[in-house]
Coordinates of all heavy atoms in Angstrom, one line a residue:
M1 N 165.3 41.8 6.7 CA 164.9 41.2 5.5 C 163.4 41.3 5.3 O 162.6 41.1 6.3 CB 165.4 39.7 5.5 CG 165.0 39.0 4.2 SD 165.7 37.4 4.2 CE 165.6 37.1 2.5
T2 N 163.0 41.6 4.1 CA 161.6 41.7 3.8 C 160.9 40.3 3.8 O 161.5 39.4 3.2 CB 161.4 42.4 2.4 OG1 162.0 43.6 2.5 CG2 159.9 42.5 2.1
R3 N 159.8 40.2 4.4 CA 159.1 38.9 4.4 C 158.5 38.7 3.0 O 158.0 39.6 2.3 CB 158.0 39.0 5.5 CG 156.8 38.4 5.3 CD 155.8 38.6 6.4 NE 154.6 38.8 5.7 CZ 153.6 39.5 6.2 NH1 153.6 40.0 7.3 NH2 152.5 39.6 5.4
P4 N 158.5 37.4 2.5 CA 158.0 37.1 1.1 C 156.5 37.5 1.1 O 155.8 37.4 2.0 CB 158.2 35.6 1.0 CG 159.2 35.3 2.0 CD 159.1 36.3 3.1
R5 N 156.1 37.9 -0.1 CA 154.7 38.2 -0.4 C 154.1 37.0 -1.1 O 154.7 36.5 -2.1 CB 154.6 39.4 -1.2 CG 153.2 39.9 -1.6 CD 153.2 41.1 -2.5 NE 154.2 42.1 -2.0 CZ 153.8 43.3 -1.4 NH1 152.6 43.5 -1.2 NH2 154.7 44.1 -1.1
I6 N 152.9 36.5 -0.8 CA 152.3 35.4 -1.5 C 151.2 36.0 -2.4 O 150.3 36.7 -1.9 CB 151.6 34.5 -0.4 CG1 152.6 33.9 0.6 CG2 150.9 33.3 -1.2 CD1 153.7 33.1 0.0
W7 N 151.3 35.7 -3.6 CA 150.3 36.0 -4.6 C 149.8 34.7 -5.3 O 150.4 33.6 -5.1 CB 150.8 36.9 -5.7 CG 150.9 38.3 -5.3 CD1 150.3 38.9 -4.2 CD2 151.7 39.4 -5.9 NE1 150.7 40.3 -4.1 CE2 151.5 40.5 -5.2 CE3 152.5 39.4 -7.0 CZ2 152.1 41.7 -5.5 CZ3 153.1 40.6 -7.4 CH2 152.9 41.7 -6.6
Y8 N 148.8 34.7 -6.0 CA 148.2 33.5 -6.6 C 148.1 33.8 -8.1 O 147.5 34.8 -8.6 CB 146.9 33.2 -6.0 CG 147.0 32.9 -4.5 CD1 146.8 34.0 -3.6 CD2 147.5 31.7 -4.1 CE1 147.1 33.8 -2.3 CE2 147.7 31.5 -2.7 CZ 147.5 32.5 -1.8 OH 147.8 32.3 -0.5
L9 N 148.6 32.8 -8.9 CA 148.6 32.9 -10.4 C 147.4 32.0 -10.8 O 147.3 30.9 -10.5 CB 149.8 32.3 -11.0 CG 151.2 33.0 -10.6 CD1 152.3 32.2 -11.3 CD2 151.1 34.4 -11.0
L10 N 146.5 32.6 -11.6 CA 145.4 31.9 -12.2 C 145.8 31.8 -13.7 O 145.9 32.7 -14.4 CB 144.1 32.8 -12.1 CG 143.4 32.7 -10.8 CD1 144.2 33.1 -9.6 CD2 142.2 33.7 -10.9
Q11 N 146.1 30.6 -14.1 CA 146.5 30.3 -15.4 C 145.3 29.8 -16.2 O 144.7 28.7 -15.9 CB 147.6 29.2 -15.5 CG 148.9 29.6 -14.7 CD 149.9 28.5 -14.6 OE1 149.6 27.5 -14.0 NE2 151.0 28.7 -15.3
H12 N 144.9 30.7 -17.1 CA 143.7 30.4 -17.9 C 144.0 29.8 -19.3 O 145.0 30.2 -19.9 CB 142.8 31.7 -18.1 CG 142.3 32.2 -16.8 ND1 142.8 33.2 -16.1 CD2 141.1 31.8 -16.2 CE1 142.1 33.4 -15.0 NE2 141.0 32.6 -15.1
R13 N 143.2 28.9 -19.8 CA 143.3 28.4 -21.1 C 141.9 28.1 -21.6 O 140.9 28.1 -20.8 CB 144.1 27.1 -21.1 CG 143.5 26.0 -20.2 CD 144.6 24.9 -19.8 NE 144.0 24.0 -18.9 CZ 143.8 24.2 -17.6 NH1 144.2 25.4 -17.1 NH2 143.3 23.3 -16.8
P14 N 141.7 27.9 -22.9 CA 140.4 27.5 -23.4 C 139.8 26.3 -22.7 O 140.5 25.3 -22.5 CB 140.6 27.3 -24.9 CG 141.8 28.1 -25.2 CD 142.7 28.0 -24.0
G15 N 138.5 26.4 -22.3 CA 137.9 25.3 -21.6 C 137.1 24.4 -22.6 O 137.1 24.6 -23.8
P16 N 136.4 23.4 -22.1 CA 135.7 22.5 -22.9 C 134.5 23.1 -23.7 O 134.1 22.5 -24.7 CB 135.2 21.4 -21.9 CG 135.2 22.1 -20.6 CD 136.3 23.1 -20.6
A17 N 134.0 24.2 -23.3 CA 132.9 24.9 -24.0 C 133.4 25.9 -25.0 O 132.6 26.5 -25.7 CB 131.9 25.5 -23.0
A18 N 134.7 26.1 -25.1 CA 135.2 27.1 -26.0 C 135.1 26.6 -27.5 O 135.2 25.4 -27.7 CB 136.7 27.3 -25.8
I19 N 134.8 27.5 -28.4 CA 134.7 27.2 -29.8 C 136.1 27.1 -30.4 O 136.8 28.1 -30.4 CB 133.8 28.2 -30.5 CG1 132.4 28.3 -29.9 CG2 133.7 27.9 -32.0 CD1 131.6 29.5 -30.3
E20 N 136.4 26.0 -30.9 CA 137.8 25.8 -31.5 C 138.0 26.8 -32.6 O 137.1 27.0 -33.5 CB 137.9 24.3 -32.0 CG 139.4 24.0 -32.3 CD 139.6 22.6 -32.6 OE1 138.8 21.7 -32.1 OE2 140.5 22.3 -33.3
G21 N 139.2 27.4 -32.6 CA 139.6 28.3 -33.7 C 139.1 29.7 -33.5 O 139.4 30.6 -34.3
V22 N 138.4 30.0 -32.4 CA 137.9 31.3 -32.1 C 138.7 31.8 -30.8 O 138.7 31.1 -29.8 CB 136.4 31.4 -31.8 CG1 135.9 32.8 -31.4 CG2 135.6 30.8 -33.0
R23 N 139.3 33.0 -31.0 CA 140.0 33.5 -29.8 C 139.1 33.7 -28.6 O 137.9 34.0 -28.8 CB 140.6 34.9 -30.2 CG 141.6 34.9 -31.2 CD 142.2 36.3 -31.6 NE 141.3 37.4 -31.2 CZ 141.6 38.5 -30.7 NH1 142.9 38.8 -30.5 NH2 140.8 39.5 -30.4
P24 N 139.6 33.5 -27.4 CA 138.8 33.6 -26.2 C 138.1 35.0 -26.1 O 136.9 35.0 -25.8 CB 139.8 33.4 -25.1 CG 140.8 32.5 -25.6 CD 141.0 33.0 -27.1
M25 N 138.8 36.0 -26.5 CA 138.1 37.4 -26.4 C 137.0 37.5 -27.4 O 136.1 38.4 -27.2 CB 139.2 38.4 -26.7 CG 140.2 38.6 -25.6 SD 141.4 39.9 -26.0 CE 142.9 39.0 -25.9
D26 N 136.9 36.7 -28.4 CA 135.8 36.8 -29.4 C 134.7 35.7 -29.1 O 133.8 35.7 -29.9 CB 136.4 36.5 -30.8 CG 137.4 37.6 -31.2 OD1 137.2 38.8 -30.7 OD2 138.3 37.3 -32.0
Q27 N 134.8 35.0 -28.1 CA 133.9 33.9 -27.8 C 132.7 34.5 -27.0 O 132.8 35.4 -26.2 CB 134.5 32.9 -26.8 CG 135.7 32.2 -27.4 CD 135.5 30.8 -27.8 OE1 134.4 30.2 -27.7 NE2 136.5 30.2 -28.4
P28 N 131.5 34.0 -27.3 CA 130.3 34.4 -26.5 C 130.6 34.0 -25.0 O 131.1 33.0 -24.7 CB 129.2 33.5 -27.0 CG 129.6 33.0 -28.3 CD 131.1 33.0 -28.3
G29 N 130.4 35.0 -24.1 CA 130.6 34.7 -22.7 C 131.9 35.2 -22.2 O 132.1 35.2 -20.9
F30 N 132.8 35.7 -23.0 CA 134.1 36.2 -22.5 C 133.9 37.5 -21.7 O 134.7 37.7 -20.8 CB 135.0 36.5 -23.7 CG 136.4 36.9 -23.2 CD1 137.3 35.9 -22.7 CD2 136.9 38.2 -23.2 CE1 138.5 36.2 -22.2 CE2 138.1 38.5 -22.7 CZ 138.9 37.5 -22.2
E31 N 132.8 38.2 -21.9 CA 132.6 39.4 -21.1 C 132.4 39.1 -19.6 O 132.6 39.9 -18.8 CB 131.4 40.2 -21.6 CG 130.0 39.5 -21.5 CD 129.8 38.5 -22.7 OE1 130.5 38.4 -23.7 OE2 128.7 37.8 -22.6
E32 N 132.0 37.8 -19.3 CA 131.9 37.4 -17.9 C 133.3 37.3 -17.3 O 133.4 37.6 -16.1 CB 131.2 36.0 -17.8 CG 129.8 36.0 -18.3 CD 128.9 36.9 -17.5 OE1 129.2 37.1 -16.3 OE2 127.8 37.3 -18.1
H33 N 134.3 37.0 -18.0 CA 135.7 37.0 -17.5 C 136.1 38.4 -17.2 O 136.7 38.7 -16.2 CB 136.6 36.3 -18.5 CG 138.0 36.2 -18.0 ND1 138.3 35.5 -16.8 CD2 139.2 36.7 -18.5 CE1 139.6 35.6 -16.6 NE2 140.2 36.3 -17.6
L34 N 135.8 39.3 -18.1 CA 136.1 40.7 -17.9 C 135.4 41.3 -16.7 O 136.0 42.0 -15.9 CB 135.8 41.5 -19.2 CG 136.6 41.2 -20.4 CD1 136.1 42.0 -21.6 CD2 138.1 41.3 -20.2
A35 N 134.2 40.8 -16.5 CA 133.4 41.3 -15.3 C 134.1 40.7 -14.0 O 134.2 41.5 -13.0 CB 132.0 40.8 -15.4
F36 N 134.6 39.5 -14.1 CA 135.3 38.9 -12.9 C 136.5 39.8 -12.6 O 136.8 40.1 -11.5 CB 135.7 37.5 -13.3 CG 136.8 36.9 -12.4 CD1 136.5 36.5 -11.1 CD2 138.1 36.8 -12.9 CE1 137.5 36.0 -10.3 CE2 139.1 36.3 -12.1 CZ 138.8 35.9 -10.8
L37 N 137.3 40.2 -13.7 CA 138.5 41.0 -13.5 C 138.1 42.3 -12.9 O 138.9 42.8 -12.0 CB 139.3 41.1 -14.8 CG 139.8 39.8 -15.4 CD1 140.4 40.1 -16.7 CD2 140.8 39.2 -14.4
R38 N 137.1 42.9 -13.4 CA 136.6 44.2 -12.8 C 136.3 44.1 -11.4 O 136.6 45.0 -10.6 CB 135.5 44.8 -13.7 CG 135.9 45.4 -15.0 CD 134.8 46.2 -15.7 NE 133.7 45.4 -16.2 CZ 133.7 44.7 -17.4 NH1 134.8 44.9 -18.2 NH2 132.7 44.0 -17.7
R39 N 135.6 43.0 -11.0 CA 135.3 42.8 -9.5 C 136.5 42.7 -8.7 O 136.6 43.2 -7.6 CB 134.4 41.6 -9.4 CG 132.9 41.8 -9.8 CD 132.0 40.7 -9.4 NE 132.4 39.4 -9.9 CZ 132.0 38.9 -11.1 NH1 131.3 39.7 -11.9 NH2 132.3 37.7 -11.5
R40 N 137.5 42.0 -9.2 CA 138.8 41.8 -8.5 C 139.5 43.1 -8.4 O 140.1 43.4 -7.4 CB 139.7 40.8 -9.2 CG 139.1 39.4 -9.3 CD 138.8 38.6 -8.0 NE 138.0 39.2 -7.0 CZ 136.6 39.2 -7.1 NH1 136.0 38.5 -8.0 NH2 135.9 39.7 -6.1
A41 N 139.5 44.0 -9.4 CA 140.1 45.3 -9.4 C 139.4 46.1 -8.3 O 140.0 46.8 -7.5 CB 140.0 46.0 -10.7
A42 N 138.0 46.1 -8.3 CA 137.2 46.9 -7.3 C 137.5 46.5 -5.9 O 137.5 47.3 -5.0 CB 135.8 46.8 -7.7
D43 N 137.7 45.2 -5.6 CA 137.9 44.8 -4.3 C 139.4 44.8 -3.9 O 139.8 44.4 -2.8 CB 137.3 43.4 -4.0 CG 138.0 42.2 -4.6 OD1 139.1 42.3 -5.1 OD2 137.5 41.1 -4.4
G44 N 140.3 45.2 -4.8 CA 141.7 45.3 -4.5 C 142.5 44.1 -4.6 O 143.7 44.1 -4.3
T45 N 142.0 42.9 -5.0 CA 142.7 41.7 -5.1 C 143.5 41.5 -6.5 O 144.4 40.7 -6.5 CB 141.9 40.5 -4.9 OG1 140.8 40.4 -5.8 CG2 141.3 40.5 -3.5
L46 N 143.1 42.3 -7.5 CA 143.7 42.1 -8.8 C 145.1 42.8 -8.8 O 145.2 44.0 -8.5 CB 142.9 42.7 -9.9 CG 143.4 42.6 -11.3 CD1 143.5 41.2 -11.8 CD2 142.6 43.4 -12.3
I47 N 146.1 42.1 -9.1 CA 147.5 42.7 -9.3 C 147.7 43.0 -10.8 O 148.1 44.0 -11.2 CB 148.6 41.7 -8.8 CG1 148.4 41.5 -7.3 CG2 150.0 42.3 -9.1 CD1 148.4 42.7 -6.4
A48 N 147.4 42.0 -11.6 CA 147.6 42.1 -13.1 C 146.9 41.0 -13.8 O 146.6 39.9 -13.2 CB 149.1 42.0 -13.4
A49 N 146.6 41.2 -15.1 CA 145.9 40.2 -15.9 C 146.2 40.5 -17.4 O 146.3 41.6 -17.8 CB 144.4 40.2 -15.6
G50 N 146.3 39.4 -18.1 CA 146.5 39.6 -19.6 C 146.8 38.3 -20.3 O 147.1 37.3 -19.6
P51 N 146.7 38.3 -21.6 CA 147.0 37.1 -22.4 C 148.5 36.8 -22.5 O 149.3 37.7 -22.4 CB 146.4 37.5 -23.8 CG 146.5 39.0 -23.8 CD 146.3 39.5 -22.4
L52 N 148.8 35.6 -22.7 CA 150.2 35.2 -23.0 C 150.3 35.1 -24.5 O 149.5 34.5 -25.2 CB 150.5 33.8 -22.4 CG 150.4 33.6 -20.9 CD1 150.5 32.2 -20.5 CD2 151.5 34.5 -20.3
E53 N 151.3 35.8 -25.0 CA 151.5 36.0 -26.5 C 152.4 35.0 -27.1 O 152.4 34.8 -28.3 CB 152.0 37.4 -26.8 CG 151.0 38.5 -26.3 CD 149.7 38.5 -27.0 OE1 149.7 38.1 -28.2 OE2 148.7 39.0 -26.4
D54 N 153.3 34.4 -26.3 CA 154.4 33.6 -26.9 C 154.4 32.1 -26.4 O 155.4 31.5 -26.3 CB 155.7 34.2 -26.6 CG 156.1 34.3 -25.2 OD1 155.2 34.1 -24.3 OD2 157.2 34.5 -24.9
N55 N 153.2 31.6 -26.1 CA 153.2 30.2 -25.6 C 153.3 29.2 -26.8 O 152.9 29.5 -27.9 CB 152.0 29.9 -24.7 CG 150.7 30.1 -25.4 OD1 150.5 29.6 -26.5 ND2 149.8 30.8 -24.8
D56 N 153.8 28.0 -26.4 CA 153.9 26.9 -27.4 C 152.7 26.0 -27.5 O 152.6 25.2 -28.4 CB 155.1 26.1 -27.1 CG 156.4 26.9 -27.2 OD1 156.5 27.8 -28.0 OD2 157.4 26.5 -26.5
T57 N 151.7 26.2 -26.6 CA 150.6 25.3 -26.6 C 149.4 25.8 -27.3 O 148.4 25.1 -27.3 CB 150.2 25.0 -25.1 OG1 149.8 26.3 -24.5 CG2 151.3 24.4 -24.3
G58 N 149.5 26.9 -28.0 CA 148.4 27.4 -28.7 C 147.9 28.7 -28.2 O 148.2 29.2 -27.2
E59 N 147.0 29.3 -29.0 CA 146.4 30.6 -28.7 C 145.4 30.5 -27.6 O 144.7 29.5 -27.5 CB 145.8 31.2 -29.9 CG 145.4 32.7 -29.8 CD 145.0 33.2 -31.2 OE1 145.7 33.0 -32.2 OE2 143.9 33.8 -31.2
G60 N 145.2 31.6 -26.8 CA 144.1 31.6 -25.9 C 144.4 31.4 -24.5 O 143.5 31.3 -23.6
E61 N 145.7 31.4 -24.1 CA 146.1 31.3 -22.7 C 146.4 32.7 -22.1 O 146.7 33.6 -22.8 CB 147.3 30.4 -22.5 CG 147.0 29.0 -23.0 CD 148.1 28.0 -22.7 OE1 149.0 28.4 -21.9 OE2 148.1 26.9 -23.3
G62 N 146.1 32.8 -20.8 CA 146.4 34.0 -20.1 C 146.7 33.8 -18.6 O 146.5 32.7 -18.1
V63 N 147.1 34.9 -18.0 CA 147.4 34.8 -16.5 C 146.8 35.9 -15.8 O 146.7 37.1 -16.3 CB 148.9 34.8 -16.3 CG1 149.3 34.9 -14.8 CG2 149.6 33.6 -16.9
T64 N 146.2 35.7 -14.6 CA 145.7 36.7 -13.7 C 146.5 36.5 -12.4 O 146.7 35.3 -12.0 CB 144.2 36.5 -13.5 OG1 143.5 36.6 -14.7 CG2 143.7 37.5 -12.5
V65 N 147.0 37.6 -11.8 CA 147.7 37.5 -10.5 C 146.7 38.2 -9.5 O 146.3 39.3 -9.7 CB 149.0 38.2 -10.6 CG1 149.7 38.1 -9.2 CG2 149.9 37.7 -11.7
L66 N 146.5 37.4 -8.4 CA 145.6 37.9 -7.4 C 146.4 38.0 -6.0 O 147.2 37.1 -5.7 CB 144.4 37.0 -7.1 CG 143.4 36.8 -8.2 CD1 142.3 35.9 -7.8 CD2 142.8 38.2 -8.7
A67 N 146.0 38.9 -5.2 CA 146.5 39.1 -3.9 C 145.4 38.6 -3.0 O 144.8 39.5 -2.3 CB 147.0 40.5 -3.6
A68 N 145.0 37.4 -3.0 CA 143.9 36.8 -2.2 C 144.4 36.5 -0.8 O 145.6 36.5 -0.5 CB 143.4 35.6 -2.8
Q69 N 143.5 36.3 0.2 CA 143.9 36.0 1.5 C 144.5 34.6 1.7 O 145.2 34.4 2.7 CB 142.6 36.1 2.4 CG 142.1 37.5 2.5 CD 143.0 38.4 3.1 OE1 143.6 38.2 4.1 NE2 143.2 39.6 2.5
S70 N 144.1 33.7 0.8 CA 144.7 32.3 1.0 C 144.5 31.6 -0.4 O 143.8 32.0 -1.3 CB 143.9 31.5 2.0 OG 142.5 31.4 1.6
L71 N 145.1 30.4 -0.5 CA 145.0 29.6 -1.7 C 143.5 29.2 -1.8 O 143.0 29.2 -3.0 CB 145.9 28.4 -1.6 CG 145.7 27.4 -2.7 CD1 146.1 28.0 -4.1 CD2 146.7 26.2 -2.5
E72 N 142.8 28.9 -0.8 CA 141.4 28.5 -0.8 C 140.6 29.6 -1.4 O 139.7 29.4 -2.2 CB 140.9 28.0 0.5 CG 141.6 26.7 1.0 CD 143.0 26.9 1.5 OE1 143.4 28.0 1.9 OE2 143.7 25.9 1.5
D73 N 140.9 30.8 -0.9 CA 140.1 32.0 -1.3 C 140.4 32.3 -2.8 O 139.5 32.6 -3.6 CB 140.5 33.2 -0.5 CG 139.6 34.4 -0.8 OD1 138.4 34.2 -0.9 OD2 140.1 35.6 -0.8
A74 N 141.7 32.1 -3.3 CA 142.0 32.3 -4.7 C 141.3 31.3 -5.5 O 140.7 31.6 -6.6 CB 143.5 32.2 -4.9
R75 N 141.2 30.0 -5.1 CA 140.5 29.0 -5.8 C 139.0 29.3 -5.9 O 138.4 29.1 -6.9 CB 140.8 27.6 -5.2 CG 142.1 27.0 -5.5 CD 142.2 25.6 -5.1 NE 143.4 25.0 -5.5 CZ 144.3 24.4 -4.8 NH1 143.9 24.1 -3.5 NH2 145.4 23.9 -5.2
R76 N 138.5 29.7 -4.8 CA 137.0 30.0 -4.8 C 136.7 31.2 -5.8 O 135.8 31.0 -6.6 CB 136.6 30.5 -3.4 CG 135.1 30.8 -3.3 CD 134.7 31.4 -1.9 NE 135.5 32.6 -1.6 CZ 135.3 33.8 -2.1 NH1 134.3 34.0 -3.0 NH2 136.0 34.9 -1.8
L77 N 137.5 32.2 -5.8 CA 137.3 33.3 -6.7 C 137.5 32.8 -8.1 O 136.7 33.1 -9.0 CB 138.3 34.4 -6.4 CG 138.1 35.2 -5.1 CD1 139.3 36.1 -4.8 CD2 136.8 36.0 -5.2
A78 N 138.5 32.1 -8.4 CA 138.8 31.6 -9.8 C 137.8 30.7 -10.3 O 137.4 30.7 -11.5 CB 140.2 31.0 -9.8
E79 N 137.3 29.8 -9.5 CA 136.5 28.7 -9.9 C 135.0 28.9 -9.8 O 134.2 28.4 -10.5 CB 136.9 27.4 -9.2 CG 138.3 26.9 -9.5 CD 138.8 25.8 -8.6 OE1 138.0 25.4 -7.7 OE2 139.9 25.4 -8.8
Q80 N 134.6 29.8 -8.8 CA 133.2 30.0 -8.6 C 132.7 31.4 -8.9 O 131.6 31.6 -9.4 CB 132.9 29.7 -7.1 CG 133.1 28.3 -6.7 CD 132.9 28.1 -5.2 OE1 132.3 28.8 -4.5 NE2 133.5 27.0 -4.8
D81 N 133.6 32.4 -8.8 CA 133.2 33.8 -9.1 C 133.3 34.2 -10.5 O 132.7 35.1 -11.0 CB 134.0 34.8 -8.2 CG 133.4 36.2 -8.3 OD1 132.2 36.4 -8.1 OD2 134.2 37.1 -8.7
D82 N 134.1 33.4 -11.3 CA 134.3 33.7 -12.7 C 133.4 32.8 -13.5 O 133.6 31.6 -13.7 CB 135.8 33.5 -13.1 CG 136.1 33.9 -14.5 OD1 135.2 34.1 -15.3 OD2 137.3 34.1 -14.8
E83 N 132.3 33.4 -14.0 CA 131.3 32.7 -14.7 C 131.8 32.0 -16.0 O 131.4 31.0 -16.4 CB 130.1 33.6 -15.1 CG 129.0 32.9 -15.8 CD 128.4 31.7 -15.1 OE1 128.3 31.8 -13.8 OE2 127.9 30.8 -15.7
S84 N 132.9 32.6 -16.6 CA 133.5 32.1 -17.8 C 134.2 30.7 -17.5 O 134.2 29.8 -18.3 CB 134.4 33.0 -18.5 OG 135.6 33.3 -17.7
V85 N 134.6 30.6 -16.2 CA 135.2 29.3 -15.8 C 134.1 28.3 -15.5 O 134.1 27.2 -15.9 CB 136.2 29.5 -14.6 CG1 136.6 28.1 -14.0 CG2 137.4 30.3 -15.0
R86 N 133.1 28.8 -14.7 CA 131.9 27.9 -14.4 C 131.2 27.4 -15.6 O 130.8 26.2 -15.6 CB 131.0 28.7 -13.5 CG 131.6 28.9 -12.1 CD 130.6 29.6 -11.1 NE 129.2 29.4 -11.4 CZ 128.3 30.3 -11.0 NH1 128.6 31.4 -10.5 NH2 127.1 30.1 -11.3
S87 N 131.1 28.2 -16.6 CA 130.4 27.8 -17.9 C 131.3 26.9 -18.8 O 130.8 26.3 -19.7 CB 130.0 29.0 -18.7 OG 131.1 29.6 -19.3
G88 N 132.6 26.8 -18.5 CA 133.5 25.9 -19.3 C 134.1 26.7 -20.4 O 134.9 26.1 -21.2
L89 N 133.9 28.0 -20.6 CA 134.5 28.7 -21.6 C 136.0 28.7 -21.4 O 136.8 28.6 -22.3 CB 134.0 30.2 -21.7 CG 134.7 31.1 -22.7 CD1 134.6 30.6 -24.1 CD2 134.2 32.5 -22.6
L90 N 136.4 29.0 -20.1 CA 137.8 28.9 -19.7 C 138.0 27.9 -18.7 O 137.1 27.6 -17.9 CB 138.2 30.3 -19.1 CG 138.2 31.5 -20.1 CD1 138.6 32.8 -19.3 CD2 139.1 31.3 -21.3
A91 N 139.2 27.3 -18.7 CA 139.6 26.4 -17.6 C 140.7 27.1 -16.9 O 141.4 28.0 -17.5 CB 140.2 25.1 -18.2
V92 N 140.9 26.8 -15.6 CA 141.9 27.6 -14.8 C 142.6 26.6 -13.9 O 142.1 25.7 -13.4 CB 141.2 28.7 -14.0 CG1 140.2 28.1 -12.9 CG2 142.2 29.7 -13.4
T93 N 143.9 26.9 -13.7 CA 144.8 26.3 -12.7 C 145.2 27.4 -11.8 O 145.7 28.4 -12.3 CB 146.0 25.6 -13.4 OG1 145.5 24.7 -14.3 CG2 146.9 25.0 -12.4
V94 N 145.1 27.2 -10.5 CA 145.5 28.2 -9.5 C 146.8 27.7 -8.8 O 146.9 26.6 -8.4 CB 144.4 28.4 -8.4 CG1 144.8 29.4 -7.4 CG2 143.1 28.8 -9.1
R95 N 147.8 28.6 -8.9 CA 149.1 28.3 -8.3 C 149.5 29.3 -7.3 O 149.2 30.5 -7.5 CB 150.1 28.1 -9.4 CG 149.8 27.1 -10.4 CD 150.8 26.9 -11.5 NE 152.0 26.4 -10.9 CZ 153.1 26.3 -11.5 NH1 153.2 26.6 -12.8 NH2 154.2 25.8 -10.9
T96 N 150.2 28.9 -6.3 CA 150.8 29.9 -5.3 C 152.1 30.4 -5.8 O 153.0 29.6 -6.3 CB 151.0 29.2 -3.9 OG1 149.7 28.7 -3.5 CG2 151.6 30.1 -2.9
W97 N 152.3 31.7 -5.7 CA 153.6 32.3 -6.1 C 154.1 33.1 -4.9 O 153.5 34.0 -4.4 CB 153.3 33.2 -7.3 CG 154.5 33.9 -7.9 CD1 155.8 33.4 -7.9 CD2 154.6 35.1 -8.6 NE1 156.6 34.3 -8.5 CE2 155.9 35.4 -9.0 CE3 153.6 36.0 -9.0 CZ2 156.3 36.5 -9.7 CZ3 154.0 37.2 -9.7 CH2 155.3 37.4 -10.1
T98 N 155.3 32.7 -4.5 CA 156.0 33.4 -3.4 C 157.0 34.4 -4.0 O 157.9 34.0 -4.6 CB 156.8 32.4 -2.5 OG1 155.8 31.5 -2.0 CG2 157.4 33.1 -1.4
V99 N 156.6 35.7 -3.9 CA 157.4 36.7 -4.5 C 158.5 37.2 -3.4 O 158.1 37.7 -2.4 CB 156.6 37.9 -4.9 CG1 157.4 39.1 -5.5 CG2 155.5 37.5 -5.9
V100 N 159.7 36.9 -3.7 CA 160.8 37.2 -2.7 C 161.5 38.5 -3.0 O 162.2 39.1 -2.1 CB 161.8 36.1 -2.5 CG1 161.1 34.8 -2.0 CG2 162.5 35.8 -3.8
M101 N 161.4 39.0 -4.2 CA 162.0 40.2 -4.6 C 161.2 40.9 -5.7 O 160.9 40.3 -6.7 CB 163.4 40.0 -5.1 CG 164.2 41.2 -5.4 SD 165.8 40.9 -6.0 CE 166.6 40.1 -4.7
S102 N 161.0 42.2 -5.5 CA 160.3 43.1 -6.5 C 160.6 44.5 -6.1 O 160.0 45.0 -5.2 CB 158.8 42.8 -6.5 OG 158.3 43.7 -7.5
P103 N 161.6 45.2 -6.8 CA 161.9 46.5 -6.5 C 160.8 47.5 -6.7 O 160.8 48.6 -6.1 CB 163.1 46.8 -7.4 CG 163.0 45.9 -8.5 CD 162.3 44.7 -7.9
A104 N 159.8 47.1 -7.4 CA 158.7 48.0 -7.7 C 157.6 48.0 -6.6 O 156.7 48.9 -6.6 CB 158.0 47.7 -9.0
L105 N 157.7 47.1 -5.7 CA 156.7 47.0 -4.6 C 157.2 47.4 -3.3 O 158.4 47.1 -2.9 CB 156.2 45.6 -4.6 CG 155.5 45.1 -5.8 CD1 155.2 43.6 -5.7 CD2 154.2 45.9 -6.1
P106 N 156.4 48.0 -2.4 CA 156.8 48.2 -1.0 C 156.8 46.9 -0.3 O 156.2 45.9 -0.7 CB 155.7 49.1 -0.5 CG 154.5 48.9 -1.4 CD 155.0 48.5 -2.7
P107 N 157.6 46.9 0.8 CA 157.6 45.6 1.6 C 156.3 45.2 2.0 O 155.4 46.0 2.3 CB 158.5 46.0 2.8 CG 159.3 47.2 2.3 CD 158.4 47.9 1.4
A108 N 156.1 43.9 2.1 CA 154.8 43.3 2.6 C 154.7 43.7 4.0 O 155.7 43.6 4.8 CB 154.7 41.8 2.3
G109 N 153.5 44.0 4.5 CA 153.3 44.3 5.9 C 152.4 43.5 6.6 O 151.8 42.5 6.3

């Protein structure tokens, strides 16, 4: 049996510094979030990232999936390395996701 793979979900939503009624991608400072995602892609921790299109809580939410070393590492990256979170443009919740099945991925090693 394949051992479960642990990934971390970063659930982003507009933060206290976001301008109401302006999409996150159009807000001043959103480029800092894109820079964070590029750094995660460069270091190999980024699995996927993108906006949620069909949520009931309003526009501006998104998810990033990281393959970090630990929950603490994922929190550090999400809360300290992403300037858009540090500045309050985005708020983030970090959750552990245990992936037990994915036919598109090789077994965890």
